[in-house]
Amino acid sequence: MSILVFAENWDGKFKKQTFELVSYANSLAKLLNSSVVALSIGKVEDDELKKLGNYGATKILNVSDNRLNTLDNKAFTITIAQAAIKENANIIIFPHNITGKAIASRISVRLKAGLVTGVNGLPTSTDPFTIVKKSFTSKAFANIVIKTPVKIITLFQNAFGIIESPASPVIEAFAPEINDSDIKTIVKEVNKVTGKILLTDAEIVVSGGRGMKGPENWGAIEELAKLLNGATACSRPVSDEGWRSHEEHVGQTGKIIAPNIYFACGISGAIQHLGGVSSSKYIVAINKDPEAPIFEVADYGIVGDVQKILPEIINAVKELKS
Amino acid sequence: MKILICISNVPDTTTKIKFTNNNTTFDVAGVQWIINPWDELALTRAIELKETNAGTIENITVIHVGLNTSDPTIRKALAIGADKAIRINAEAKDSYFVAAQIAEFVKKEPFDVILCGIESSDYNGFSVGGMLSELLDYPSVSALSSLEIANAEIKLKRGIDGGHEVISIVTPFVGIVQKGIAKEARIPNMRGIMMAKAKPLQVVEPVLIDNFTEFVSFEYPKPKATCKKIDPENVKELINLLHNEAKVI
Ligand SMILES: Cc1cc2nc3c(=O)[nH]c(=O)nc-3n(C[C@H](O)[C@H](O)[C@H](O)COP(=O)(O)OP(=O)(O)OC[C@H]3O[C@@H](n4cnc5c(N)ncnc54)[C@H](O)[C@@H]3O)c2cc1C
Ligand SMILES: Nc1ncnc2c1ncn2[C@@H]1O[C@H](COP(=O)(O)O)[C@@H](O)[C@H]1O
């Protein structure tokens, strides 16, 4: 038996979330007396692959098939399912992101394996296999039992943390059997930012709402994010107005994030907004209205004008860093 | 071309969530029900496409797995502009159960484009679309923020980490949509509401399916400690607390 982890890379480098996934799998393996196999798809150098060993992977399957350079849900499903069978995996772990969710659901059917998405911790019981996930858009948690012999989960980012546990992994090339006819999606154009911290991967997120008044005032948000090595985000009306790109919209209908700190600047804290950010470890609210609902969920709050407060925060951070 | 849209019936997004029976059952008392927001956007996009491609798109059907308590939500989809509705008469047990019921129906009555939402806002499965595509052996594309059909050619835009990709695909396929697919959901007008009464709502009996998972109980999130207010004249204190107390900077 083994635990298989889908080790996703971004431009040839593993994301922070991948290391978290391997750490999680390693803790689960200790509970179940199992071992961790990581599966990497795409061009990743050996030195990078070896890093997965730092978190407890004892075996790394490396798939380099040019047909898998872009995501085709079915082709990835076939690949991962074949690896799971070969490794006799009874648990498969995915990141709870677009790619992870898209593939996990297909594999669930292919392997007749029960799936729970968005879990945020180890199982509370291994027999029956019971695990907690967020439900009702973060308004509740559900305890779910997976009844099938093979189990699949997607792990919420930043829910578990990264734990070092060095192993010396073997790296093995793995060539899945895929027919060209299995691949139906043709990628015509790729449009993505590189060299920037991904919003879903960021430990610190600085976010602005309608209270920022206009796109011309985003300089301070960007400056604070950069200073803290974080990412920028926004509320829905802000992206609907076109002040910021849709990629930055967080909330129930946008991205769901779980950073260590979420700075909500000029955001009222509507329930749909909170659905995307309530898992943040700390929420800092800056709002001129002392009655704004955001203060009900914030850990730290400043009642005041963002235009005045943000530059002062920036100065205080600069002072701390120097 | 025939389009099928899977719709989920969910509590309005502002609903306060409560549980009964020792926290094992979601308390539906007083809940307002809506079409899951992404499904409503998918339906809106399908109608827009039908309006601009009258020749190509002949029919828009919505399908729902649920009991007759969902009928008002299904009627709303018809009022917005779906041509036909199917309800599979069974309580949804988990995502696999729902996907398998829909797959059985589609195997008998095929569609070219099947659209699902990325998640339903109640149980947050993120699964039905992917499962359905695998059951039907169709390609699937997830996190669609744009769907264009022109001269029977299909162009999609999907979200990826930090950006998007433009994709081409041939039918049949399953599209799993996120926001952006339509700008704003359509609201039914009086004429739509009247017409919906005459549109077919076909009730289909379920097939026997074993669910893979079981919801055993629910919990409420821990209440947050009260917010520490920081004097706006002493902003430094915030950074001090984040550094020394929370230890996150
Ligand atoms: C189905 C549905 C889904 C939705 N999904 C989302 C979602 O995913 N994400 C999302 O964000 N919203 C979502 N919404 C919208 C949500 O209900 C709110 O309308 C939205 O979050 C409000 O954005 P905001 O806080 O930026 O703006 P507002 O509510 O207008 O709040 C602006 C805040 O800024 C403060 N302010 C103004 N000027 C200043 C100043 N100078 N200094 C400091 N503070 C100031 C005000 O006091 C106010 O609290 C959804 C709504 C629906 C119906
Ligand atoms: N009971 C249901 N009937 C029909 N479609 C559903 C049902 N539940 C979920 N779906 C579809 O599957 C999508 C994702 O739901 P889920 O996987 O449950 O989060 C929804 O947006 C709907 O398109």
Side-chain angles (χ1 to χ4, degrees):
Chain A
M1 290 291 180
S2 72
I3 300 178
L4 185 70
V5 177
F6 174 53
E8 196 185 9
N9 74 82
W10 202 53
D11 288 333
K13 298 273 180 257
F14 290 119
K15 304 171 171 185
K16 205 185 84 199
Q17 205 185 348
T18 302
F19 299 135
E20 183 178 23
L21 242 52
V22 176
S23 306
Y24 177 90
N26 190 41
S27 296
L28 192 52
K30 283 182 188 148
L31 270 179
L32 298 169
N33 220 345
S34 184
S35 63
V36 180
V37 180
L39 173 73
S40 167
I41 301 179
K43 286 197 196 80
V44 181
E45 301 294 335
D46 272 11
D47 277 351
E48 185 71 16
L49 288 172
K50 278 198 198 115
K51 285 186 188 164
L52 300 173
N54 297 344
Y55 310 96
T58 51
K59 187 179 202 176
I60 295 156
L61 297 180
N62 181 27
V63 180
S64 60
D65 180 323
N66 279 332
R67 296 172 298 178
L68 301 177
N69 288 345
T70 56
L71 174 66
D72 179 279
N73 291 342
K74 184 175 171 188
F76 271 56
T77 295
I78 295 172
T79 303
I80 299 168
Q82 285 175 4
I85 291 166
K86 171 174 134 34
E87 295 299 327
N88 197 14
N90 63 343
I91 299 181
I92 313 174
I93 300 174
F94 288 91
H96 188 64
N97 62 15
I98 298 175
T99 312
K101 289 178 278 199
I103 312 166
S105 51
R106 289 197 76 133
I107 296 186
S108 161
V109 169
R110 184 163 285 244
L111 297 179
K112 302 235 171 321
L115 164 67
V116 176
T117 57
V119 311
N120 50 5
L122 291 169
T124 48
S125 142
T126 52
D127 189 18
F129 193 92
T130 314
I131 202 153
V132 184
K133 74 163 280 178
K134 289 181 167 272
S135 69
F136 291 94
T137 316
S138 305
K139 291 180 201 166
F141 295 99
N143 292 302
I144 303 180
V145 169
I146 306 183
K147 304 195 290 185
T148 49
V150 179
K151 298 158 181 77
I152 305 180
I153 55 188
T154 71
L155 178 70
F156 217 91
Q157 80 266 17
N158 222 1
F160 187 75
I162 294 175
I163 304 168
E164 288 197 23
S165 170
S168 351
V170 285
I171 299 179
E172 194 181 293
F174 175 62
E177 279 171 44
I178 308 169
N179 298 319
D180 286 345
S181 62
D182 289 324
I183 301 171
K184 293 271 168 42
T185 42
I186 302 159
V187 176
K188 300 276 191 189
E189 214 182 293
V190 182
N191 209 316
K192 70 173 174 186
V193 289
T194 48
K196 243 182 123 176
I197 294 169
L198 284 175
L199 177 51
T200 45
D201 227 21
E203 281 175 6
I204 294 183
V205 172
V206 187
S207 183
R210 209 141 53 178
M212 291 299 296
K213 299 287 187 308
E216 66 282 3
N217 296 325
W218 243 263
I221 299 240
E222 296 209 316
E223 189 180 349
L224 182 58
K226 198 157 169 218
L227 209 55
L228 294 171
N229 213 5
T232 53
C234 68
S235 69
R236 183 163 103 167
V238 165
S239 66
D240 282 353
E241 292 287 338
W243 296 358
R244 301 293 293 178
S245 99
H246 283 290
E247 316 289 345
E248 289 196 355
H249 158 197
V250 293
Q252 182 177 337
T253 44
K255 292 202 168 68
I256 297 172
I257 56 171
N260 290 341
I261 314 180
Y262 181 72
F263 286 92
C265 312
I267 292 175
S268 60
I271 198 157
Q272 298 94 349
H273 184 82
L274 300 178
V277 302
S278 61
S279 303
S280 308
K281 299 233 162 71
Y282 290 91
I283 295 180
V284 176
I286 305 153
N287 197 305
K288 67 173 187 192
D289 172 10
E291 304 296 320
I294 189 77
F295 289 120
E296 283 162 31
V297 296
D299 299 278
Y300 301 109
I302 303 182
V303 178
D305 183 350
V306 268
Q307 312 294 356
K308 178 173 162 284
I309 305 287
L310 264 180
E312 292 179 15
I313 294 182
I314 291 169
N315 283 338
V317 174
K318 280 186 184 154
E319 224 169 89
L320 176 76
K321 299 229 157 176
S322 64
Chain B
M1 205 178 269
K2 287 167 74 187
I3 304 183
L4 181 70
I5 298 156
C6 304
I7 60 169
S8 170
N9 180 36
V10 299
D12 178 88
T13 52
T14 54
T15 308
K16 287 257 182 301
I17 302 298
K18 293 190 301 281
F19 302 99
T20 55
N21 291 338
N22 241 341
N23 286 347
T24 55
T25 322
F26 172 54
D27 183 1
V28 296
V31 171
Q32 290 277 350
W33 297 91
I34 58 168
I35 306 175
N36 188 38
W38 294 270
D39 310 350
E40 202 176 25
L41 290 174
L43 172 61
T44 301
R45 183 63 193 144
I47 296 165
E48 288 168 3
L49 286 168
K50 192 178 167 207
E51 284 166 357
T52 48
N53 294 267
T56 330
I57 293 155
E58 49 194 286
N59 177 284
I60 299 171
T61 304
V62 293
I63 191 164
H64 173 71
V65 180
L67 303 177
N68 62 7
T69 42
S70 304
D71 281 353
T73 297
I74 301 174
R75 285 279 171 218
K76 187 177 172 203
L78 291 170
I80 293 174
D83 298 303
K84 189 179 155 186
I86 312 290
R87 180 168 63 78
I88 299 177
N89 191 23
E91 199 166 345
K93 293 202 187 95
D94 68 355
S95 297
Y96 177 72
F97 179 88
V98 169
Q101 296 294 347
I102 297 173
E104 282 309 308
F105 181 82
V106 174
K107 279 177 191 161
K108 285 180 221 124
E109 193 181 320
F111 290 85
D112 305 286
V113 177
I114 300 179
L115 299 178
C116 285
I118 194 153
E119 62 161 331
S120 46
S121 62
D122 47 5
Y123 296 101
N124 308 107
F126 293 97
S127 310
V128 169
M131 288 177 169
L132 181 58
S133 64
E134 186 70 22
L135 286 160
L136 296 168
D137 198 24
Y138 284 7
S140 60
V141 185
S142 192
L144 292 187
S145 59
S146 159
L147 162 62
E148 305 281 346
I149 302 180
N151 308 321
E153 218 180 288
I154 293 164
K155 210 172 94 182
L156 310 170
K157 210 178 183 184
R158 77 166 165 213
I160 52 170
D161 275 335
H164 66 260
E165 286 174 347
V166 177
I167 292 189
S168 75
I169 199 159
V170 290
T171 58
F173 73 95
V174 175
I176 299 160
V177 312
Q178 60 162 338
K179 77 152 200 167
I181 192 80
K183 223 171 146 35
E184 231 167 297
R186 282 208 190 175
I187 299 165
N189 56 25
M190 214 46 211
R191 187 163 161 269
I193 294 166
M194 295 311 292
M195 279 170 59
K197 293 191 174 130
K199 288 180 181 172
L201 194 172
Q202 184 189 341
V203 178
V204 177
E205 287 309 313
V207 289
L208 204 65
I209 303 278
D210 264 340
N211 40 319
F212 288 171
T213 59
E214 196 99 53
F215 281 78
V216 283
S217 63
F218 296 92
E219 287 162 33
Y220 299 100
K222 289 191 198 73
K224 270 254 179 183
T226 44
C227 175
K228 237 184 218 174
K229 288 274 170 62
I230 288 138
D231 180 359
E233 298 306 323
N234 186 15
V235 169
K236 255 192 205 162
E237 178 63 8
L238 171 69
I239 300 309
N240 182 21
L241 287 168
L242 289 172
H243 184 63
N244 294 314
E245 186 181 81
K247 299 191 190 335
V248 279
I249 290 189

